[in-house]
Amino acid sequence: MPQDPGHRDETDLAVKPRAKTQRPPMYKVLLLNDDFTPMEFVVHVLERLFAMSHAQAIEIMLTVHRRGVAVVGVFSHEIAETKVAQVMELARRQQHPLQCTMEKE
């Protein structure tokens, strides 16, 4: 008996392989050392903008001071961009030359 041309059963369904979704690239936010920005201000920035505890902020600040640079967080592109802008704006308002950049992880 011929099937109705509009009728489909499970064997007629084409199964497309699911494309594997890739995680978006992540970006490291870096704080750079300078000889003028007070250490207390760097600690304040880390606590306020990166939600670090006082102890974590001091540890990162000392890493920046000793090594010249430290990763302060890893974020999606948009969040990393926002964090960099926030740090730069806060430093500018306080008239500190603190620099913050981002790079692909």
Side-chain angles (χ1 to χ4, degrees), residues 32-83:
L32 308 175
N33 188 43
D34 64 71
D35 294 331
F36 305 101
T37 304
M39 292 179 176
E40 297 80 19
F41 179 75
V42 176
V43 169
H44 170 73
V45 166
L46 294 170
E47 290 173 342
R48 180 172 170 196
L49 299 179
F50 295 91
M52 291 185 186
S53 70
H54 190 68
Q56 287 173 313
I58 288 173
E59 188 177 323
I60 296 291
M61 175 274 296
L62 289 173
T63 301
V64 172
H65 180 70
R66 291 181 186 131
R67 296 187 182 164
V69 65
V71 175
V72 296
V74 179
F75 308 96
S76 68
H77 186 269
E78 293 77 16
I79 293 174
E81 232 176 16
T82 301
K83 294 285 187 188

